[in-house]
Amino acid sequence: MRAPARKRRASAPRTAASAAPRKKPRKGEETAQKAVISWAKWIPIPVAPDIEAGARVGDYLFAIPNGGSRDVREAANLKASGVKAGVWDLQLPIARHGFHGLWVEMKHGDNDLTDKQIEWRDRMLLAGWKMRVAWTAYEAERAIADYLGIKML
């Protein structure tokens, strides 16, 4: 027997006093990024001398856990461990087309790059990395596929 569904608490209407801008939820961005990681597990990388036989995109693509909300103590520990504000979401460390690899920043809705993300982008471009911003999982998958020379349907 299923448990009864929980009732959702109605949120209070926004008033002029509570109309301060809210942080945009990252849920859409996280969902898209998870879809990209899931897709990458199944996509073979074309044979090349610098890629092990049978490798898939997911063997190389990884996420940088920089986003999300944290308490002050955890944020301080992460900063001391080397976490940097502005570092992009996904990295693919495979050299192609004269680049050292590919960075992908996932965005959602009307979000755009932060000042710190722009600084990171400019620093990585100068260092020889390809940089792409994606607002959907498909855009990120397409950027990765194009970079690796994978034909998408």
Side-chain angles (χ1 to χ4, degrees), residues 35-126:
V36 172
I37 294 297
S38 179
W39 166 86
K41 291 176 184 176
W42 297 99
I43 305 302
I45 299 175
V47 176
D50 60 341
I51 299 296
E52 56 192 349
R56 298 185 184 279
V57 175
D59 296 333
Y60 291 86
L61 182 68
F62 63 94
I64 309 296
N66 272 354
S69 57
R70 297 179 170 91
D71 64 38
V72 174
R73 186 174 177 183
E74 185 179 0
N77 285 335
L78 290 170
K79 188 173 183 177
S81 299
V83 172
K84 295 181 184 299
V87 175
W88 284 24
D89 295 318
L90 299 169
Q91 187 187 64
L92 182 67
I94 298 174
R96 293 287 182 276
H97 318 290
F99 295 103
H100 299 303
L102 174 68
W103 286 91
V104 178
E105 173 61 24
M106 302 299 300
K107 290 294 176 187
H108 181 70
D110 61 354
N111 287 350
D112 209 349
L113 295 176
T114 66
D115 290 342
K116 292 282 188 185
Q117 290 169 334
I118 291 169
E119 288 174 22
W120 185 258
R121 177 201 61 199
D122 294 346
R123 184 174 295 129
M124 293 299 101
L125 286 170
L126 187 62

